[in-house]
Coordinates of all heavy atoms in Angstrom, one line a residue:
M472 N -6.9 27.7 -39.4 CA -7.2 27.0 -38.1 C -8.4 26.1 -38.3 O -9.4 26.5 -38.8 CB -7.4 28.1 -37.0 CG -7.7 27.5 -35.7 SD -7.9 28.9 -34.6 CE -7.5 28.1 -33.1
T473 N -8.3 24.9 -37.8 CA -9.4 23.9 -37.9 C -10.3 24.1 -36.7 O -9.9 24.4 -35.6 CB -8.9 22.5 -38.1 OG1 -8.2 22.2 -36.9 CG2 -8.1 22.3 -39.3
D474 N -11.5 23.7 -36.9 CA -12.5 23.8 -35.8 C -12.5 22.4 -35.1 O -12.9 21.4 -35.6 CB -13.9 24.1 -36.4 CG -14.9 24.3 -35.3 OD1 -14.5 24.6 -34.2 OD2 -16.1 24.1 -35.6
Q475 N -12.0 22.4 -33.8 CA -11.9 21.2 -33.0 C -12.7 21.4 -31.7 O -12.6 22.5 -31.1 CB -10.5 20.8 -32.7 CG -9.7 20.5 -33.9 CD -8.2 20.1 -33.5 OE1 -7.8 20.4 -32.4 NE2 -7.5 19.5 -34.5
T476 N -13.3 20.4 -31.3 CA -14.0 20.4 -30.0 C -13.0 19.9 -29.0 O -12.5 18.8 -29.1 CB -15.3 19.5 -30.0 OG1 -16.1 19.9 -31.1 CG2 -16.0 19.6 -28.7
S477 N -12.9 20.7 -27.9 CA -11.9 20.3 -26.9 C -12.7 20.1 -25.5 O -13.5 20.9 -25.2 CB -10.8 21.3 -26.7 OG -10.0 21.0 -25.6
T478 N -12.3 19.0 -24.9 CA -12.9 18.8 -23.5 C -12.0 19.3 -22.4 O -12.3 19.2 -21.3 CB -13.2 17.3 -23.3 OG1 -11.9 16.6 -23.4 CG2 -14.1 16.7 -24.3
G479 N -10.8 19.8 -22.8 CA -9.9 20.3 -21.8 C -9.0 19.2 -21.2 O -8.3 19.4 -20.3
S480 N -9.1 18.0 -21.8 CA -8.4 16.9 -21.2 C -8.0 16.0 -22.4 O -8.7 15.8 -23.3 CB -9.2 16.1 -20.2 OG -8.5 15.0 -19.8
C481 N -6.8 15.3 -22.2 CA -6.4 14.4 -23.3 C -7.2 13.1 -23.3 O -7.1 12.3 -24.2 CB -4.9 14.1 -23.1 SG -4.5 13.3 -21.5
C482 N -7.9 12.8 -22.2 CA -8.6 11.6 -22.1 C -10.2 11.8 -22.1 O -10.9 11.0 -21.5 CB -8.2 10.8 -20.9 SG -8.4 11.7 -19.3
G483 N -10.6 12.8 -22.6 CA -12.1 13.1 -22.7 C -12.7 13.6 -21.4 O -13.9 13.6 -21.2
G484 N -11.8 14.1 -20.5 CA -12.3 14.7 -19.3 C -12.6 13.8 -18.1 O -13.1 14.2 -17.1
T485 N -12.3 12.5 -18.3 CA -12.6 11.5 -17.2 C -11.6 11.5 -16.1 O -11.8 10.9 -15.1 CB -12.8 10.1 -17.8 OG1 -11.6 9.7 -18.5 CG2 -13.9 10.1 -18.8
C486 N -10.4 12.0 -16.3 CA -9.3 11.9 -15.3 C -9.2 13.1 -14.4 O -8.5 13.0 -13.4 CB -8.0 11.5 -15.9 SG -7.3 12.8 -17.0
G487 N -9.8 14.2 -14.7 CA -9.6 15.4 -14.0 C -10.7 15.7 -13.0 O -10.9 16.9 -12.7
G488 N -11.4 14.8 -12.5 CA -12.5 15.0 -11.7 C -12.2 15.3 -10.2 O -13.1 15.4 -9.4
G489 N -10.9 15.4 -9.9 CA -10.6 15.7 -8.5 C -10.6 14.4 -7.6 O -10.4 14.6 -6.4
T490 N -10.7 13.3 -8.2 CA -10.7 12.1 -7.3 C -9.5 11.2 -7.8 O -9.2 11.2 -9.0 CB -12.0 11.2 -7.4 OG1 -12.2 10.9 -8.8 CG2 -13.2 12.0 -6.9
A491 N -8.9 10.5 -6.9 CA -7.7 9.7 -7.2 C -8.2 8.3 -7.6 O -9.1 7.8 -7.0 CB -6.8 9.6 -6.1
T492 N -7.7 7.7 -8.6 CA -8.0 6.4 -9.1 C -6.8 5.5 -8.9 O -5.7 5.8 -9.4 CB -8.4 6.4 -10.6 OG1 -9.6 7.3 -10.7 CG2 -8.8 5.0 -11.0
D493 N -6.9 4.4 -8.1 CA -5.9 3.5 -7.9 C -6.0 2.3 -8.8 O -6.9 1.5 -8.6 CB -5.9 3.1 -6.4 CG -4.7 2.3 -6.0 OD1 -3.7 2.3 -6.8 OD2 -4.7 1.6 -5.0
V494 N -5.3 2.2 -9.9 CA -5.4 1.2 -10.8 C -4.5 0.0 -10.4 O -3.3 0.2 -10.2 CB -5.0 1.6 -12.2 CG1 -5.1 0.5 -13.2 CG2 -5.9 2.8 -12.7
Q495 N -5.0 -1.1 -10.2 CA -4.3 -2.3 -9.7 C -4.3 -3.4 -10.8 O -5.3 -3.5 -11.5 CB -4.9 -2.9 -8.5 CG -4.8 -2.0 -7.3 CD -3.4 -1.8 -6.8 OE1 -2.6 -2.8 -6.8 NE2 -3.1 -0.6 -6.4
P496 N -3.2 -4.1 -10.9 CA -3.3 -5.2 -11.9 C -4.3 -6.2 -11.4 O -4.6 -6.3 -10.2 CB -1.9 -5.9 -11.7 CG -1.0 -4.9 -11.0 CD -2.0 -4.0 -10.3
L497 N -4.9 -7.0 -12.3 CA -5.9 -8.0 -12.0 C -5.2 -9.1 -11.2 O -4.0 -9.5 -11.4 CB -6.5 -8.5 -13.2 CG -7.4 -7.6 -14.0 CD1 -7.9 -8.2 -15.3 CD2 -8.5 -7.0 -13.2
G498 N -5.9 -9.7 -10.3 CA -5.3 -10.8 -9.5 C -5.6 -10.7 -8.1 O -6.4 -10.0 -7.6
V499 N -4.8 -11.5 -7.3 CA -4.9 -11.6 -5.9 C -3.7 -10.7 -5.3 O -2.6 -10.9 -5.7 CB -4.7 -13.0 -5.4 CG1 -4.7 -13.2 -3.9 CG2 -5.8 -13.9 -6.0
T500 N -4.0 -9.8 -4.4 CA -3.0 -9.0 -3.7 C -2.9 -9.4 -2.3 O -3.9 -9.5 -1.5 CB -3.4 -7.5 -3.8 OG1 -3.5 -7.2 -5.2 CG2 -2.3 -6.7 -3.1
T501 N -1.6 -9.7 -1.9 CA -1.3 -10.2 -0.5 C -0.2 -9.3 0.0 O 0.8 -9.0 -0.7 CB -0.9 -11.6 -0.5 OG1 -1.9 -12.4 -1.1 CG2 -0.8 -12.1 1.0
V502 N -0.3 -8.9 1.3 CA 0.7 -8.1 1.9 C 1.4 -8.9 2.9 O 0.8 -9.5 3.8 CB 0.2 -6.8 2.6 CG1 1.3 -6.0 3.2 CG2 -0.6 -5.9 1.5
Y503 N 2.7 -9.0 2.8 CA 3.6 -9.8 3.8 C 4.4 -8.9 4.6 O 4.8 -7.8 4.1 CB 4.5 -10.7 3.0 CG 3.8 -11.7 2.1 CD1 3.5 -11.5 0.8 CD2 3.3 -12.9 2.7 CE1 2.9 -12.5 0.0 CE2 2.6 -13.9 1.9 CZ 2.4 -13.6 0.6 OH 1.8 -14.6 -0.2
K504 N 4.8 -9.3 5.8 CA 5.8 -8.6 6.6 C 7.1 -9.3 6.5 O 7.2 -10.5 6.6 CB 5.4 -8.6 8.1 CG 4.2 -7.7 8.4 CD 4.4 -6.3 8.2 CE 5.1 -5.7 9.4 NZ 5.3 -4.2 9.3
V505 N 8.1 -8.5 6.2 CA 9.5 -9.1 6.0 C 10.4 -8.3 7.0 O 10.4 -7.1 7.0 CB 10.0 -8.9 4.6 CG1 11.4 -9.4 4.4 CG2 9.0 -9.7 3.6
S506 N 11.2 -9.1 7.7 CA 12.2 -8.4 8.6 C 13.6 -8.3 8.0 O 13.9 -9.2 7.2 CB 12.2 -9.1 10.0 OG 12.8 -10.4 9.8
G507 N 14.3 -7.3 8.3 CA 15.7 -7.2 7.9 C 15.9 -6.2 6.7 O 17.0 -5.8 6.5
M508 N 14.8 -5.7 6.1 CA 15.0 -4.7 5.0 C 15.2 -3.4 5.6 O 14.5 -2.9 6.5 CB 13.7 -4.7 4.1 CG 13.4 -5.9 3.3 SD 12.1 -5.6 2.1 CE 10.7 -5.0 3.1
T509 N 16.3 -2.7 5.1 CA 16.6 -1.4 5.7 C 16.8 -0.3 4.6 O 16.9 0.9 5.0 CB 18.0 -1.5 6.5 OG1 19.0 -1.9 5.6 CG2 17.8 -2.4 7.7
C510 N 16.9 -0.7 3.3 CA 17.1 0.3 2.3 C 16.6 -0.1 0.9 O 16.0 -1.2 0.8 CB 18.7 0.5 2.2 SG 19.5 -1.0 1.6
G511 N 16.8 0.7 -0.1 CA 16.4 0.4 -1.4 C 17.0 -0.8 -2.0 O 16.3 -1.6 -2.8
H512 N 18.2 -1.1 -1.7 CA 18.9 -2.3 -2.1 C 18.1 -3.6 -1.6 O 17.9 -4.5 -2.3 CB 20.3 -2.4 -1.7 CG 21.0 -3.7 -2.0 ND1 21.4 -4.1 -3.3 CD2 21.3 -4.8 -1.2 CE1 21.9 -5.3 -3.3 NE2 21.8 -5.7 -2.0
C513 N 17.7 -3.5 -0.3 CA 17.0 -4.6 0.3 C 15.6 -4.8 -0.4 O 15.2 -5.9 -0.7 CB 16.7 -4.3 1.8 SG 18.2 -4.1 2.8
E514 N 15.0 -3.7 -0.7 CA 13.7 -3.7 -1.4 C 13.8 -4.4 -2.8 O 13.0 -5.2 -3.2 CB 13.1 -2.3 -1.6 CG 12.7 -1.6 -0.3 CD 12.5 -0.1 -0.5 OE1 12.8 0.4 -1.6 OE2 12.0 0.5 0.5
G515 N 14.9 -4.0 -3.5 CA 15.1 -4.6 -4.8 C 15.4 -6.1 -4.8 O 15.0 -6.8 -5.6
A516 N 16.2 -6.5 -3.8 CA 16.6 -7.9 -3.7 C 15.3 -8.8 -3.4 O 15.1 -9.8 -4.0 CB 17.6 -8.1 -2.6
V517 N 14.5 -8.3 -2.5 CA 13.3 -9.1 -2.1 C 12.3 -9.0 -3.3 O 11.8 -10.1 -3.7 CB 12.6 -8.5 -0.9 CG1 11.2 -9.1 -0.7 CG2 13.5 -8.7 0.3
S518 N 12.1 -7.9 -3.9 CA 11.2 -7.8 -5.1 C 11.7 -8.7 -6.2 O 10.9 -9.3 -6.9 CB 11.2 -6.3 -5.6 OG 10.6 -5.5 -4.6
E519 N 13.0 -8.7 -6.5 CA 13.5 -9.5 -7.6 C 13.2 -11.0 -7.4 O 12.8 -11.7 -8.3 CB 15.0 -9.3 -7.7 CG 15.6 -10.1 -8.9 CD 17.1 -9.8 -9.0 OE1 17.6 -8.8 -8.5 OE2 17.8 -10.6 -9.7
E520 N 13.5 -11.5 -6.2 CA 13.2 -12.9 -5.9 C 11.8 -13.3 -5.9 O 11.4 -14.3 -6.5 CB 13.8 -13.3 -4.5 CG 15.3 -13.3 -4.4 CD 16.0 -14.4 -5.3 OE1 15.4 -15.4 -5.6 OE2 17.1 -14.1 -5.7
I521 N 10.9 -12.4 -5.4 CA 9.5 -12.7 -5.4 C 8.9 -12.6 -6.8 O 8.1 -13.4 -7.2 CB 8.7 -11.9 -4.4 CG1 9.1 -12.2 -3.0 CG2 7.2 -12.0 -4.6 CD1 8.5 -11.3 -1.9
S522 N 9.4 -11.6 -7.6 CA 8.9 -11.4 -9.0 C 9.2 -12.7 -9.8 O 8.5 -12.9 -10.8 CB 9.6 -10.2 -9.6 OG 9.2 -9.0 -9.0
A523 N 10.2 -13.4 -9.5 CA 10.6 -14.6 -10.3 C 9.6 -15.8 -10.1 O 9.7 -16.8 -10.8 CB 12.0 -15.0 -9.9
L524 N 8.8 -15.7 -9.1 CA 7.8 -16.8 -8.8 C 6.7 -16.8 -9.9 O 6.3 -15.8 -10.3 CB 7.2 -16.6 -7.4 CG 8.1 -16.6 -6.2 CD1 7.3 -16.3 -4.9 CD2 8.8 -17.9 -6.1
G525 N 6.3 -18.0 -10.2 CA 5.3 -18.2 -11.2 C 4.0 -17.5 -10.8 O 3.5 -17.7 -9.7
G526 N 3.4 -16.7 -11.7 CA 2.1 -16.1 -11.5 C 2.2 -14.7 -10.9 O 1.2 -14.0 -10.8
V527 N 3.4 -14.3 -10.4 CA 3.5 -13.0 -9.8 C 3.5 -11.9 -10.9 O 4.2 -12.0 -11.9 CB 4.8 -12.9 -9.0 CG1 5.0 -11.5 -8.5 CG2 4.7 -13.8 -7.8
T528 N 2.6 -10.9 -10.7 CA 2.5 -9.9 -11.7 C 3.0 -8.5 -11.2 O 3.3 -7.6 -12.0 CB 1.0 -9.7 -12.2 OG1 0.2 -9.4 -11.0 CG2 0.5 -11.0 -12.8
A529 N 3.1 -8.3 -9.9 CA 3.6 -7.1 -9.4 C 4.1 -7.3 -7.9 O 3.6 -8.1 -7.2 CB 2.5 -6.0 -9.4
V530 N 5.2 -6.6 -7.6 CA 5.8 -6.6 -6.2 C 6.2 -5.2 -5.8 O 6.9 -4.5 -6.6 CB 7.0 -7.6 -6.1 CG1 7.5 -7.6 -4.7 CG2 6.7 -9.0 -6.6
T531 N 5.8 -4.8 -4.6 CA 6.2 -3.5 -4.1 C 6.7 -3.8 -2.7 O 6.0 -4.2 -1.8 CB 5.1 -2.5 -4.1 OG1 4.6 -2.3 -5.4 CG2 5.6 -1.2 -3.5
A532 N 8.0 -3.6 -2.5 CA 8.6 -3.7 -1.1 C 8.9 -2.4 -0.6 O 9.4 -1.5 -1.3 CB 9.9 -4.6 -1.2
V533 N 8.6 -2.2 0.7 CA 8.9 -0.9 1.4 C 9.7 -1.2 2.7 O 9.1 -1.7 3.7 CB 7.5 -0.2 1.7 CG1 7.8 1.1 2.4 CG2 6.7 0.0 0.5
A534 N 10.9 -0.9 2.7 CA 11.8 -1.1 3.8 C 11.3 -0.4 5.1 O 11.4 -1.0 6.2 CB 13.2 -0.7 3.5
A535 N 10.8 0.8 4.9 CA 10.5 1.6 6.1 C 9.3 0.9 6.9 O 9.3 1.0 8.2 CB 10.0 3.0 5.7
T536 N 8.5 0.2 6.3 CA 7.4 -0.5 7.0 C 7.6 -2.0 7.1 O 6.9 -2.7 7.8 CB 6.0 -0.3 6.2 OG1 6.1 -0.8 4.9 CG2 5.7 1.2 6.2
G537 N 8.5 -2.5 6.3 CA 8.8 -4.0 6.3 C 7.7 -4.7 5.6 O 7.5 -5.9 5.7
E538 N 6.9 -4.0 4.8 CA 5.8 -4.6 4.0 C 6.2 -4.9 2.6 O 6.8 -4.0 1.9 CB 4.5 -3.8 4.1 CG 4.0 -3.8 5.5 CD 2.7 -3.1 5.6 OE1 2.3 -2.3 4.7 OE2 2.0 -3.3 6.7
V539 N 5.7 -6.0 2.1 CA 5.9 -6.4 0.7 C 4.5 -6.7 0.1 O 3.9 -7.7 0.6 CB 6.9 -7.6 0.5 CG1 7.0 -7.9 -1.0 CG2 8.2 -7.3 1.1
T540 N 4.1 -6.0 -0.8 CA 2.8 -6.2 -1.5 C 3.0 -7.0 -2.7 O 3.7 -6.5 -3.6 CB 2.0 -4.9 -1.7 OG1 1.9 -4.1 -0.5 CG2 0.7 -5.1 -2.3
V541 N 2.3 -8.1 -2.8 CA 2.5 -9.0 -4.0 C 1.2 -9.2 -4.7 O 0.2 -9.6 -4.0 CB 3.1 -10.4 -3.5 CG1 3.3 -11.3 -4.7 CG2 4.4 -10.2 -2.8
T542 N 1.1 -9.0 -6.0 CA -0.1 -9.3 -6.8 C 0.3 -10.5 -7.7 O 1.3 -10.5 -8.3 CB -0.5 -8.1 -7.6 OG1 -0.7 -7.0 -6.7 CG2 -1.8 -8.3 -8.4
S543 N -0.6 -11.4 -7.7 CA -0.4 -12.6 -8.5 C -1.7 -13.1 -9.1 O -2.8 -12.7 -8.7 CB 0.1 -13.8 -7.6 OG -0.7 -14.0 -6.5
T544 N -1.6 -13.9 -10.1 CA -2.8 -14.4 -10.8 C -3.6 -15.3 -10.0 O -4.8 -15.5 -10.3 CB -2.4 -15.1 -12.1 OG1 -1.5 -16.2 -11.8 CG2 -1.7 -14.1 -13.1
A545 N -3.0 -16.0 -9.0 CA -3.7 -16.9 -8.1 C -3.0 -16.8 -6.7 O -1.9 -16.3 -6.6 CB -3.6 -18.3 -8.6
P546 N -3.7 -17.2 -5.7 CA -3.0 -17.2 -4.3 C -1.7 -18.0 -4.4 O -1.6 -19.0 -5.0 CB -4.0 -17.8 -3.4 CG -5.4 -17.7 -4.1 CD -5.0 -17.7 -5.6
L547 N -0.7 -17.4 -3.7 CA 0.6 -18.1 -3.6 C 0.7 -18.9 -2.4 O 0.2 -18.5 -1.3 CB 1.7 -17.0 -3.6 CG 1.8 -16.1 -4.9 CD1 2.8 -15.0 -4.7 CD2 2.2 -17.0 -6.1
D548 N 1.5 -20.0 -2.5 CA 1.8 -20.8 -1.3 C 2.8 -20.0 -0.4 O 3.8 -19.5 -0.9 CB 2.4 -22.1 -1.7 CG 2.8 -23.0 -0.6 OD1 3.0 -22.6 0.5 OD2 2.9 -24.2 -0.9
E549 N 2.4 -19.7 0.8 CA 3.3 -18.9 1.7 C 4.7 -19.5 1.9 O 5.7 -18.7 2.0 CB 2.6 -18.7 3.1 CG 3.3 -17.7 3.9 CD 2.5 -17.2 5.1 OE1 1.3 -17.0 5.0 OE2 3.2 -17.0 6.2
E550 N 4.8 -20.8 1.8 CA 6.1 -21.4 1.9 C 7.0 -21.1 0.7 O 8.2 -21.0 0.8 CB 6.0 -22.9 2.2 CG 5.5 -23.2 3.6 CD 6.2 -22.5 4.7 OE1 7.5 -22.6 4.7 OE2 5.6 -21.9 5.6
V551 N 6.4 -21.0 -0.4 CA 7.1 -20.6 -1.7 C 7.6 -19.2 -1.6 O 8.8 -18.8 -1.9 CB 6.3 -20.8 -2.9 CG1 6.9 -20.3 -4.2 CG2 5.9 -22.3 -3.1
V552 N 6.8 -18.3 -1.0 CA 7.1 -16.9 -0.8 C 8.2 -16.8 0.2 O 9.2 -16.1 0.1 CB 5.9 -16.0 -0.4 CG1 6.3 -14.6 -0.1 CG2 4.9 -16.1 -1.5
R553 N 8.1 -17.6 1.3 CA 9.1 -17.6 2.3 C 10.5 -18.0 1.8 O 11.5 -17.4 2.1 CB 8.7 -18.6 3.5 CG 9.7 -18.6 4.6 CD 9.2 -19.6 5.7 NE 7.8 -19.3 6.1 CZ 7.3 -18.4 6.9 NH1 8.2 -17.5 7.4 NH2 6.1 -18.2 7.2
A554 N 10.5 -19.1 0.9 CA 11.8 -19.5 0.3 C 12.4 -18.4 -0.5 O 13.6 -18.2 -0.5 CB 11.5 -20.8 -0.5
A555 N 11.6 -17.7 -1.3 CA 12.1 -16.6 -2.1 C 12.7 -15.5 -1.3 O 13.7 -14.9 -1.6 CB 11.0 -16.0 -3.0
V556 N 12.0 -15.1 -0.2 CA 12.5 -14.1 0.7 C 13.8 -14.6 1.4 O 14.7 -13.8 1.5 CB 11.4 -13.7 1.8 CG1 12.0 -12.8 2.9 CG2 10.2 -13.1 1.1
D557 N 13.8 -15.8 1.8 CA 15.0 -16.4 2.4 C 16.2 -16.3 1.4 O 17.3 -16.0 1.8 CB 14.8 -17.8 2.8 CG 14.0 -18.0 4.1 OD1 13.8 -17.0 4.8 OD2 13.5 -19.1 4.4
E558 N 15.9 -16.6 0.1 CA 16.9 -16.6 -0.9 C 17.5 -15.2 -1.0 O 18.7 -15.0 -1.3 CB 16.4 -17.1 -2.2 CG 17.3 -17.1 -3.4 CD 18.4 -18.2 -3.2 OE1 18.2 -19.2 -2.5 OE2 19.5 -18.0 -3.8
A559 N 16.7 -14.2 -0.8 CA 17.1 -12.8 -0.9 C 17.9 -12.4 0.3 O 18.6 -11.3 0.3 CB 15.9 -11.9 -1.1
G560 N 17.9 -13.2 1.4 CA 18.6 -12.9 2.6 C 17.8 -12.3 3.7 O 18.4 -11.7 4.6
Y561 N 16.5 -12.4 3.7 CA 15.6 -11.7 4.7 C 14.7 -12.8 5.2 O 14.7 -13.9 4.8 CB 14.9 -10.6 4.0 CG 15.9 -9.6 3.4 CD1 16.2 -9.7 2.1 CD2 16.5 -8.6 4.2 CE1 17.2 -8.8 1.5 CE2 17.4 -7.8 3.7 CZ 17.8 -7.9 2.3 OH 18.7 -7.1 1.8
E562 N 13.9 -12.4 6.2 CA 13.0 -13.3 6.8 C 11.5 -12.9 6.7 O 11.1 -11.8 7.0 CB 13.3 -13.4 8.3 CG 12.4 -14.4 9.1 CD 12.6 -14.4 10.6 OE1 13.6 -13.7 11.1 OE2 11.9 -15.1 11.3
L563 N 10.7 -13.8 6.2 CA 9.3 -13.6 6.0 C 8.7 -13.9 7.4 O 8.8 -15.0 8.0 CB 8.7 -14.6 5.0 CG 7.1 -14.4 4.8 CD1 6.8 -13.1 4.2 CD2 6.6 -15.6 4.0
V564 N 8.1 -12.8 8.0 CA 7.4 -12.9 9.3 C 6.1 -13.5 9.2 O 5.6 -14.3 10.0 CB 7.4 -11.5 10.0 CG1 6.6 -11.6 11.3 CG2 8.8 -10.9 10.1
G565 N 5.3 -13.2 8.1 CA 4.0 -13.6 7.9 C 3.2 -12.6 7.1 O 3.8 -11.7 6.5
R566 N 1.9 -12.8 7.1 CA 1.0 -11.8 6.4 C 0.8 -10.7 7.3 O 0.7 -10.8 8.5 CB -0.3 -12.5 5.9 CG 0.0 -13.6 4.9 CD -1.3 -14.2 4.5 NE -1.0 -15.3 3.6 CZ -1.9 -15.7 2.7 NH1 -3.0 -15.1 2.5 NH2 -1.5 -16.7 1.9
A567 N 0.7 -9.5 6.6 CA 0.4 -8.3 7.4 C -1.1 -8.2 7.7 O -1.9 -8.7 7.1 CB 0.8 -7.1 6.6

């Protein structure tokens, strides 16, 4: 048996401190309200269209709240986001 020092954690003990860490991609995060989403398929369709926009690094759509959180490298033109949501078959109401 070899002599090893263990901190009790695979990451040196920094992740088990009892606090939650929310790691976000770098960039600008904007939350939009979208009407018409009712299920996971809707979420996927909206996410797919918005994800195809230049500079978008992450998209999370939640049908239950009608909110779509978009992270991008720079602020997005709302009309470009509106066109992507329209293409998916839904309506961009505005920013949440």
Side-chain angles (χ1 to χ4, degrees):
M472 181 177 204
T473 59
D474 187 22
Q475 295 180 347
T476 303
S477 175
T478 62
S480 174
C481 63
C482 60
T485 59
C486 66
T490 58
T492 301
D493 187 16
V494 178
Q495 295 290 322
L497 296 177
V499 178
T500 300
T501 308
V502 179
Y503 298 96
K504 289 295 278 185
V505 174
S506 68
M508 294 191 303
T509 59
C510 65
H512 173 76
C513 301
E514 294 168 348
V517 170
S518 295
E519 182 178 340
E520 290 296 333
I521 294 174
S522 291
L524 299 177
V527 172
T528 57
V530 179
T531 302
V533 180
T536 62
E538 292 186 344
V539 180
T540 304
V541 180
T542 303
S543 55
T544 56
L547 298 173
D548 181 337
E549 190 167 318
E550 290 307 310
V551 172
V552 176
R553 183 177 311 281
V556 171
D557 286 346
E558 183 66 27
Y561 304 92
E562 181 184 355
L563 179 69
V564 176
R566 294 182 186 207

